Amino acid sequence: MQISAVVYAPAPDGGRRVRVGERFVGLAYTLVDIAEFLRRAGWEDIEAADVETAEWIEWRGGGPGVWAH
């Protein structure tokens, strides 16, 4: 299964919009949130540490360590 995801720049409250495929799936405040969105999209057994290193996640406005606007 090939999933592509985009994590957008942090909003003023620190949340980052997440898109999986063509669908926006939510607002993440941690890597755990992103992992949960991906599990709901069908990617089983993904953990927060996997989110940090996944090459198929496009980080916009900062990488996985950026959560402040």
Side-chain angles (χ1 to χ4, degrees), residues 5-18:
V6 178
V7 180
Y8 291 86
D13 69 353
R16 299 183 75 165
R17 288 185 313 145
V18 179

Side-chain angles (χ1 to χ4, degrees), residues 14-55:
R16 299 183 75 165
R17 288 185 313 145
V18 179
R19 188 180 80 211
V20 177
E22 297 298 319
R23 185 170 170 234
F24 284 97
V25 294
L27 193 61
Y29 291 90
T30 67
L31 296 174
V32 173
D33 293 338
I34 297 171
E36 180 58 26
F37 294 148
L38 293 171
R39 281 192 290 272
R40 290 179 187 176
W43 192 270
E44 297 178 17
D45 299 324
I46 191 161
E47 301 295 330
D50 302 322
V51 170
E52 283 187 285
T53 60
E55 293 181 10

